Amino acid sequence: MPMEPLPDLATLSLPDIARLLAEKKLPPVDQWNPDHCGDSEMRIARDGTWYHQGSPIGREAMVRLFSTILRREPDGSHVLVTPVEKLDIEVEDAPFVAVELKSEGEGRDRALAFRLNTDELVVAGPDHPIRAAGDADSPSLYIHVRRGCEARLNRSTYEQLARIALERGDDWTVKSGGETFSLLPA
C-alpha cells in the first residue's frame, strides 16, 4: 500500500491535523523483539538523506516505509525492526528533520504542528516535547517523534519557532498542547 504525501501544511487546520494523526497506523515495532541480525548498511545523514551502501535512496516512498519500522534502542542506537529481524542503522544526528511549522491558537491553546522530511506530522505537546541542545554558538532544536526518535528542526523551521518565542516575550519559550518548552539549551 503506497503512502500518499500529505497536503500542504498551511492548508490544514488543527482538527484536520488531529484527524490525519489519528488515522495513521504504524507497525507495532515496540512489540517486536527479534534477535539482532546485523547491519542494514543504511545511514541517515544529518540533513535527513537516507543512504544504502553509500548511495542515496531516491524513492521517497521507500524512505517513508523504512521510517515506520525505525526505533531507538535503550543504548541510544537506532535499528530497523520487523517481526523476524533487527538491523542496525547509522544515524548521524536525528533520523528525521522538521521542515515546516504551522502555529495555530494563542497562549495555552496554541498548537505547533511540524511536517517532517518523511511527510509525517507531529504536534508538540506532552507526548512530543521540544528539546533544546547545543550551545549559544551552535544551538539545535529537536521534537520527539516516536519510539525514542527525534526530528531536528531545520534552519527555517527553527527561525519560525524563534519568532514565535520572541512574540511571547524575552524568556525564549513556546507553548504547544498545554506545555511550555524552552528554546535555550540547558
Side-chain angles (χ1 to χ4, degrees), residues 27-33 70-72 81 146-148:
V29 300
D30 291 336
Q31 298 171 18
W32 297 338
N33 292 301
L70 178 70
R71 80 173 181 216
R72 189 169 189 179
V81 183
R146 65 174 172 275
R147 304 178 193 126

Side-chain angles (χ1 to χ4, degrees), residues 110-112 114 123-132 141-144 161 165 168 171-184:
R110 181 180 297 251
L112 300 169
F114 297 85
V123 178
D127 295 332
H128 301 283
I130 296 171
R131 177 179 70 87
L141 293 175
Y142 299 86
I143 183 166
H144 181 265
L161 199 58
R168 283 185 28 84
D171 67 353
W172 284 95
T173 63
V174 295
K175 291 185 182 288
S176 181
E179 298 286 319
T180 302
F181 302 104
S182 175
L183 304 187
L184 297 175

Side-chain angles (χ1 to χ4, degrees), residues 23-77:
E23 291 172 357
K24 182 144 180 103
K25 301 289 185 231
L26 293 169
V29 300
D30 291 336
Q31 298 171 18
W32 297 338
N33 292 301
D35 290 333
H36 183 265
C37 297
D39 188 350
S40 68
E41 299 184 37
M42 294 174 70
R43 173 176 65 89
I44 305 172
R46 180 174 168 75
D47 68 359
T49 303
W50 288 56
Y51 292 86
H52 181 253
Q53 296 181 335
S55 297
I57 299 174
R59 293 181 55 203
E60 291 178 19
M62 186 68 71
V63 169
R64 285 194 300 271
L65 178 63
F66 282 131
S67 75
T68 67
I69 61 169
L70 178 70
R71 80 173 181 216
R72 189 169 189 179
E73 298 289 85
D75 68 2
S77 64

